[in-house]
Every structure is written in C-alpha cells, then in structure tokens.
Amino acid sequence: MSSRDLILSRVRTAVAGAPDAPRTRPRAVPAATGGQTAERTVELFAERVADYRAVVHVAAPGEAAGVITAALARRAAERVVVPEGLPKEWAHAVRAHLGGGAVGDDPPLSAADLDAVCGVVTGCAVGIAETGTIVLDTGPGQGRRALTLVPDYHLCLVRAGQIVPGVPEAVAALDPVRPLTWISGPSATSDIELNRVEGVHGPRTLEVVVVR
Amino acid sequence: MSAAFLGMPAFPRNAARAVGDSQLRFNLRKATRTIRGRRAAVVGELPDWEELRAAGKEIKDHTLRHLDRYLLQMEEAVTRAGGRVHWAADADEANRIVAGLVEATGETGVVKVKSMATQEIGLNEALAARGITAYETDLAELIVQLGDDLPSHILVPAIHRNRSEIREIFREKMGEWGRAAPEDLTDEPRALAEAARLHLRERFLSTKVAVSGANFMIAETGTLVVLESEGNGRMCLTLPDTLISVVGIEKLLPTWQDLEVFLQVLPRSSTGERMNPYTSTWTGASEGQEFHLVLLDNGRTTVLADEVGRQALRCIRCSACLNVCPVYERAGGHAYGSVYPGPIGAILTPQLRGAGPAPSSPPGGGAPAPAIPAPSGRPASATAVPGGRPASAIPAPSGRMPASATAVPGGRMPASATAELDASLPYASSLCGACYEVCPVAIDIPEVLVHLRAKAPHPRAERLAMRAAGWVLDRPVRLARAQRLSGRLRRFVPRRLPGPAAAWTDTRDIPDIPAESFRDWWNRTDGGTR
Ligand code: SF4
C-alpha cells in the first residue's frame, strides 16, 4: 500500500463512527472596527501602522509626489527600485528626484543587485485598518516578492480606497492564487530577552504614505 | 536544531533540575508574564473574541472529521498549481523524501524556517547523516543551533539564554558556520540582531534549497500560509529555486475564507500582536520556483482515533497555554523532553509517541521508528558543523541547565526512558485550567490530561487520585470549589503523601498550591489586565 493510501485509510478508520462536525457558524465575522466612516478607517489604519514603529504620512492626492521626494531625500537614497505599473505620478516623482537612480526590474535584478540598492517604492493590494497591515499581491506597482524583501528600505503607497476595516474584508478581497505578503510594520524579533528589535532580515525601515 | 532530546529523564527529574536554575527561571518568568500581558490586551480589543474562538474550534473539528476529503482536495489543488505532493506515514519516510529531494538538486545545504514538524521528525539530523547541512535562520533557532542546544519555548526557543550568553555563542561559533561575528560585538540586542542579519544574509542570497513548515494549508485553493516576524521566512520562501514544505496533516483548513478567523486569533494569542510582521501565502509553484509539499502523518492519525485526545490536533501552536502555565513557568521547556513543551506538549507528545512503529512499514522499508524519535542527532550533526566540536566541549554557561549533559551520544533514547517520560508528562500539570481558558481553539487540555492519566500504566494509588481529579474536573464548579478549598488548606499539605501515595511523591514534588486559584485570579484581574 502506498503511504498515501495508508494515511487516508488510517484517517478513515480513526474518524469512523465519530459524530458529524458540521459548520454552523455564520461566515465572515465582520471586523470589530467595521461600520466606521471612511475617514475614520483611514485614520485608524495610519495609527495602527504607526504602532509598529513604521513611519506614516497621510497626504492629499496632490501632495503625494512631494512626500515621496522628501522621504527619499531624508534617506539620502541614491538607487531605488521602481516596479512596473507604479501609478505614473508616483513613479514620476521618484524619477524626477533620482534620475537614473530609479531602476526597473526588467530584466530581473539578481538578489545581489537587490542587496545593493537603497530601497524600493511600491503600491499595494489592500490595507487593513484594524491591524495596520499592508498586503502585497505582486500585482502592478508591487513587483515580485523579493523586491520588497531584500532592500533595507520600503516606501509603500496606499490609496485610501484600498483600506478595508478588518481581516475578514481583506481575506475576501484577496486572490489566494497570487503569492501574498502581509506586512505589519518592519521586520522584528523579540528573541533576545524579549526586547523588540526592528529589522532583522526584511527591510529595517518601513515608510507608508496614505494617499487620500 | 542540531541537538536532540536524547536520553531525557522523566519530567519530574528534569523539572527539579530546571527549577533550581535561576537564569532559566528568571527569563521564563519575564517572558511568560510579558507575553501574557500583551496577549490579554490585544485579545480584549476584539469584542467578538469568544465567537472567533468558537469558530476556530468548529472549523478545526469539521476539518478533522473530514480530513481524508480535505487532504485529497489539497493534493489536487497543489498539483494543479504546479506543485508536487508527497505523503509521509512516519518521520523516517518524511526525512527520506526530503533528503532525496535535496539530493536531486545536487545541493548540500538548505536554509530552514523554524518549523516544529521538522524538529519533531529530527530532519536536521537525518539530513546531516546524508551529508546535507540544514541552516536554521530564525534568530532564536540560530542561537539554539550555534549553541548546540535545545529549544525551550515554542515561540521564543532561546528564552533560556540571556544576552551575554548569546554574545558568547555568536563570537565563538558564527565563524564555524559562515560569516563570523564582529570582533567588537556587544551584548546589545540591536547589535546581536545585526550580527545575525549579516551572518545569514550571504546564506540567503546563495542557498538554492529551502525547507519550511506551514501554519495552515487551504484545501480549497492549495495555498500554504506561514506567519513570522523576522523576514527569514520570506527569505527562505522567496529566494531559493526549490522549496520543500513539511506539514502535518492536521494543519488543513477547508477554505480560503477560514483564514479570516485564524489570522485574527493566532497573532494575538501567540506574540500578543494585532498582527505578526510578516505573513506569506503561496499556491503551488510561485514565481518560477519548484515546490514540494510533504504531508506528514507520524502519529497524527493515532491521535485522531482517540475520541478525547483528538482535540489536541486542533492546536495552532500559538503557545498561549505555555505562557499561562504555572508548571511551565517554573520548570521550563526542556523538562518536557520533546519539541512540544508546556501543556500542549504534555498532551501531544505522549499521544504522538504512543503511536510507536507504523502499523505497516511504508514502501521502501527501513526500520519503523517511533513516531517522534528522540533523534540520534548529536554525532551526526557534529560532523555537519564545519569545524564543529562535540557538544560536551562547549562550556555550559553559568548555571544554565546543560541540556546536552543528559544526552546519550550515539543512540536513540532508550525506549524505556521515552515511555517513562511520556507516562509522567500527563502529570506535568496542576490541572488549574488556565491553558484551556486562553486556548484560541478551546482545547480542553485538563480533560485530555485526565484522560491520558487514566490510560497510562501507573500505580493504583495514582489511578485513584486521578479518578478523583477526573470527578472534580467534570464540573467546572467543582474544580473552582476544590481549588479554593485547597488554597485554604495549603498550609497543611505535606511535601510527601502518606501511605500508598508515597510512591507517587517520591518522584514528584507536590506542587505549591497558590493562595488564589488561577480562575479566581483571572476573574479578579480580567486576565491580568487589571
Ligand atoms: S493548545 Fe491551544 S493555547 Fe496551546 S499552543 Fe495549541 S492552540 Fe495554542
């Protein structure tokens, strides 16, 4: 008997005669923070992202380019990855500031190349207010997963319309066929005497711009 | 993990040793209290916590009841998405599959994300025996691996080490494994994390094969889910050309939407965060990667067959039960002699190991192994460590319980020792019920403990005592009353029981009975938040 058949038959024997275990609960428990105004949802998202010690800005649409430029200047960033499909005005702001220092990922950069750049500027798929989480799905303006992993600095742009109240709404909005990365603050460890240290292997600095 | 839980004496002796170790006790107390407080705060934020908990329990029970169907659905979905699915009836078979897959790539090193399943099967040791080095990449696991040590907590496996010990381990050992630690390394947590970042970065950028576990698998879509903090998981899941995930069959969830429950309860129960820094999900072969899923039984179907014990398979390994357990806080993780410490370990380890040899050997033969082998790691892993020295050569840092001191080099843990340990584990509890109250999938650990006690072979007096305990535990009101009563009577409790029960207390200290029972404390302080 193959191990596959063996395991399946062990399972069947184990549960034979066990009472049925139907699912009776209503699905989608709405987020506790649901039912708020859009304005409040955006505020909550910004607060919760900041709780993770990420840098957060909330900008009017016309201000986004200026916020991006100022952020890159503060970092003294020279080479930054700009993935395909980043909304024009944002990509333009990066290019206007860095010129040739704004690099694309086509042909794909090697891991060593990514290790050498100063950072990456991306959009996202969904923002979650309740938990201060950003979800990337490798869609337009986000690039493949390594782009937001290897560089030490991640500047992420979130449109207010992408922010949902809670985890259930995010799960419903996302497509599991795409590889997803849920990001809640910069990478961190508490392994040394439970002291939180930001930045182990992922980007040590996460900066988020919410564009209304 | 390069060391193994070898020749571990039974829980009471381990615990007595650990209780005398002040560093371990101090760290554990600090850790468990800190996480406990954080957990209570973020759990309190969700008005629908009890509903989420009930939903989590129900989803898991439903999945387990129809596990065969969901396993087949998972297999089909992963295959459709370009992944390959392998089935492993026991630890040896899983290890053979993984080693074979790594050898097929021609590589001799793999990067690993912390995974309890691979610790359970002793994968690192099995790979080492075939000339493949497994590099742990989780900071705590790295500390444990470099220190040739054993993890002591599910979530913070190096909780028994303080910062100066970690600095010493890094300075002495990093160079043997790869990039050495800087000469002037201080014991600042930030500096230590930076040293780990640099040490591991070149490994991530160059290693072609990764091995992971997973927190959840979604049958409907074939998706795997990994929650983590540091980004080492993302590195392993994303950069290598080949990814091999070893996942226990009980990790299934039927639908993608079910994640809405578990992504809310797991981070809050585990690290006490609203959300952990990184969660990765992927379906089949992603971004050109080769993907293999190894579905692991290794005793789980035996647990599933036990009407009372099967609820242990709902466990999502959050470690909340460890952090509230008065026995764990005093004894520490090593005393449990298993990769699964604390209350969940006390019910899971004996059940998984109780499976013993697989009923019929899987194809390919090989000696059937105990379900959780006490892996024969040390000599094999020592050869895998470049320049590695046998564990005994490492000076045991001040006062810490040297886990290795109890190791029997060269052999599997004698069956009698495993049996003795397993028989004693269901007693590693005062049955206070705190673990049940915090468990996000409502596993009634005291109920399973009492059930296992009744099943284990032990002296008559003990059996009688436990039957009484079972009677008390049957009714929460009786338990509360009994605890309050014993709180009042505790001045009169002797260190040793008289008469026939003396045999029991010869090897087990009667736990101190707290002045206030956990339930009373919990209700009074609202879970420690007041
Ligand atoms: S038994 Fe419950 S509380 Fe303990 S680790 Fe498992 S899920 Fe968490």
Side-chain angles (χ1 to χ4, degrees):
Chain A
M1 199 193 297
S2 71
S3 290
R4 177 178 184 273
D5 294 343
L6 176 64
I7 294 171
L8 289 170
S9 81
R10 284 181 190 165
V11 168
R12 288 174 187 137
T13 312
V15 299
D20 193 22
R23 308 189 48 159
T24 57
R25 312 213 143 244
R27 306 304 311 271
V29 190
T33 41
Q36 306 277 0
T37 61
E39 181 67 8
R40 177 62 199 135
T41 304
V42 169
E43 266 171 35
L44 183 66
F45 175 76
E47 281 166 31
R48 297 270 155 111
V49 174
D51 276 352
Y52 296 118
R53 300 192 216 171
V55 187
V56 186
H57 314 268
V58 180
E63 299 165 0
V67 174
I68 293 170
T69 310
L72 293 174
R74 258 196 316 276
R75 282 291 294 185
E78 287 168 7
R79 285 189 83 222
V80 162
V81 184
V82 180
E84 191 62 38
L86 193 71
K88 272 205 195 61
E89 63 281 16
W90 299 349
H92 184 77
V94 182
R95 287 202 191 93
H97 181 64
L98 296 178
V103 294
D105 187 37
D106 184 22
L109 298 161
S110 70
D113 289 340
L114 287 175
D115 197 25
V117 301
C118 305
V120 59
V121 181
T122 73
C124 73
V126 165
I128 307 174
E130 184 170 68
T131 58
T133 303
I134 292 155
V135 189
L136 306 185
D137 70 356
T138 72
Q142 301 164 51
R144 61 199 166 95
R145 293 173 294 175
L147 299 194
T148 52
L149 172 62
V150 182
D152 204 15
Y153 172 68
H154 181 190
L155 179 61
C156 186
L157 296 134
V158 183
R159 280 184 283 104
Q162 293 177 306
I163 300 173
V164 298
V167 173
E169 293 85 351
V171 169
L174 290 161
D175 176 5
V177 171
R178 311 183 71 96
L180 302 178
T181 307
W182 302 52
I183 299 172
S184 306
S187 87
T189 181
S190 300
D191 280 343
I192 301 163
E193 296 181 8
L194 281 191
N195 290 292
R196 186 178 165 99
V197 176
E198 269 91 34
V200 193
H201 302 299
R204 283 183 284 191
T205 306
L206 173 68
E207 192 158 356
V208 176
V209 184
V210 183
V211 186
R212 285 187 200 278
Chain B
M1 186 185 75
S2 62
F5 290 96
L6 287 172
M8 277 286 187
F11 181 84
R13 287 195 296 281
N14 292 341
R17 191 176 302 125
V19 163
D21 177 343
S22 57
Q23 177 69 56
L24 176 63
R25 265 180 95 169
F26 176 82
N27 288 358
L28 271 174
R29 198 171 323 120
K30 181 179 169 206
T32 55
R33 294 199 175 171
T34 308
I35 302 181
R36 211 152 71 199
R38 282 187 205 149
R39 176 202 164 273
V42 293
V43 163
E45 274 182 19
L46 295 185
D48 57 345
W49 182 257
E50 283 309 319
E51 281 141 65
L52 285 168
R53 188 172 179 246
K57 170 184 186 292
E58 187 179 279
I59 292 168
K60 281 284 187 178
D61 279 343
H62 170 81
T63 316
L64 291 167
R65 179 64 186 80
H66 303 283
L67 195 57
D68 54 337
R69 194 205 316 156
Y70 289 122
L71 281 168
L72 289 170
Q73 202 185 351
M74 180 75 195
E75 179 186 48
E76 205 215 304
V78 170
T79 311
R80 205 184 323 122
R84 272 197 58 200
V85 178
H86 311 260
W87 300 70
D90 58 22
D92 281 357
E93 188 178 18
N95 289 333
R96 271 202 309 277
I97 291 169
V98 176
L101 290 170
V102 177
E103 280 166 3
T105 66
E107 297 294 317
T108 55
V110 301
V111 280
K112 272 192 69 201
V113 205
K114 173 172 138 75
S115 140
M116 303 196 67
T118 58
Q119 277 170 19
E120 173 193 318
I121 62 176
L123 178 67
N124 291 9
E125 294 76 18
L127 290 178
R130 290 180 51 171
I132 300 161
T133 308
Y135 298 98
E136 293 292 351
T137 62
D138 187 269
L139 180 53
E141 296 295 330
L142 178 73
I143 296 166
V144 168
Q145 185 172 49
L146 292 177
D148 205 356
D149 201 352
L150 300 166
S152 56
H153 190 284
I154 294 181
L155 196 68
V156 270
I159 197 61
H160 57 292
R161 298 286 200 180
N162 65 27
R163 59 177 78 185
S164 55
E165 290 175 6
I166 295 169
R167 181 179 81 134
E168 282 319 302
I169 292 170
F170 279 11
R171 289 213 325 199
E172 276 195 28
K173 298 299 231 164
M174 267 186 174
E176 293 174 8
W177 287 77
R179 179 172 175 151
E183 262 312 301
D184 56 352
L185 182 65
T186 68
D187 63 4
E188 264 304 296
R190 189 163 299 280
L192 295 170
E194 168 77 11
R197 177 184 171 96
L198 293 172
H199 176 77
L200 286 171
R201 185 146 285 231
E202 51 174 43
R203 180 100 59 224
F204 287 132
L205 298 188
S206 61
T207 308
K208 302 264 187 294
V209 184
V211 177
S212 83
N215 295 93
F216 306 103
M217 310 188 270
I218 314 294
E220 170 192 44
T221 56
T223 307
L224 275 84
V225 184
V226 168
L227 282 71
E228 53 140 349
S229 292
E230 296 171 14
N232 61 309
R234 291 179 68 193
M235 289 278 179
C236 292
L237 301 173
T238 309
L239 295 182
D241 302 333
T242 304
L243 172 62
I244 305 165
S245 300
V246 181
V247 188
I249 54 175
E250 83 284 15
K251 299 276 174 181
L252 273 171
L253 300 176
T255 70
W256 171 249
Q257 204 186 347
D258 293 327
L259 270 186
E260 74 191 15
V261 173
F262 293 94
L263 289 184
Q264 291 189 80
V265 297
L266 180 51
R268 287 174 200 258
S269 301
S270 178
T271 47
E273 294 167 298
R274 296 188 183 109
M275 195 62 97
N276 49 295
Y278 296 135
T279 296
S280 297
T281 76
W282 73 98
T283 301
S286 301
E287 297 183 335
Q289 210 174 35
E290 184 178 321
F291 174 62
H292 297 271
L293 171 62
V294 181
L295 295 170
L296 177 72
D297 179 352
N298 201 36
R300 285 159 176 76
T301 47
T302 316
V303 184
L304 186 62
D306 187 308
E307 261 169 63
V308 178
R310 64 166 67 111
Q311 57 183 308
L313 296 177
R314 292 203 295 262
C315 176
I316 56 174
R317 313 275 189 267
C318 70
S319 73
C321 58
L322 277 65
N323 298 327
V324 296
C325 179
V327 177
Y328 176 81
E329 184 173 297
R330 284 172 183 76
H334 289 147
Y336 294 82
S338 154
V339 298
Y340 303 109
I344 182 60
I347 62 169
L348 202 54
T349 304
Q351 292 201 86
L352 284 173
R353 264 204 290 240
S360 63
S361 258
I372 303 186
S376 57
R378 199 164 300 278
S381 65
T383 58
V385 181
R389 270 173 288 153
S392 53
I394 306 168
S398 56
R400 195 186 54 84
M401 177 180 102
S404 55
T406 57
V408 181
R412 284 182 190 273
M413 180 171 169
S416 59
T418 325
E420 191 201 351
L421 174 70
D422 290 354
S424 68
L425 279 178
Y427 297 90
S429 165
S430 60
L431 299 177
C432 73
C435 46
Y436 167 68
E437 309 220 358
V438 297
C439 178
V441 285
I443 299 173
D444 194 340
I445 294 177
E447 183 192 21
V448 181
L449 284 168
V450 172
H451 171 71
L452 294 176
R453 287 176 184 188
K455 277 173 72 175
H458 46 208
R460 205 179 105 78
E462 199 168 83
R463 210 156 47 229
L464 289 176
M466 288 317 136
R467 211 169 288 156
W471 178 82
V472 171
L473 282 167
D474 268 354
R475 297 270 179 286
V477 183
R478 280 187 210 149
L479 175 62
R481 216 181 290 141
Q483 281 178 345
R484 237 166 269 142
L485 184 66
S486 59
R488 262 178 250 133
L489 295 179
R490 71 197 169 115
R491 279 184 295 131
F492 307 111
V493 174
R495 298 309 293 176
R496 292 183 47 141
L497 295 175
W504 187 56
T505 45
D506 277 347
T507 50
R508 300 164 180 90
D509 271 352
I510 298 178
D512 290 340
I513 299 172
E516 185 181 27
S517 80
F518 180 84
R519 275 166 193 250
D520 288 350
W521 171 83
W522 188 263
N523 291 335
R524 179 174 60 79
T525 61
D526 197 12
T529 53
R530 272 208 295 271

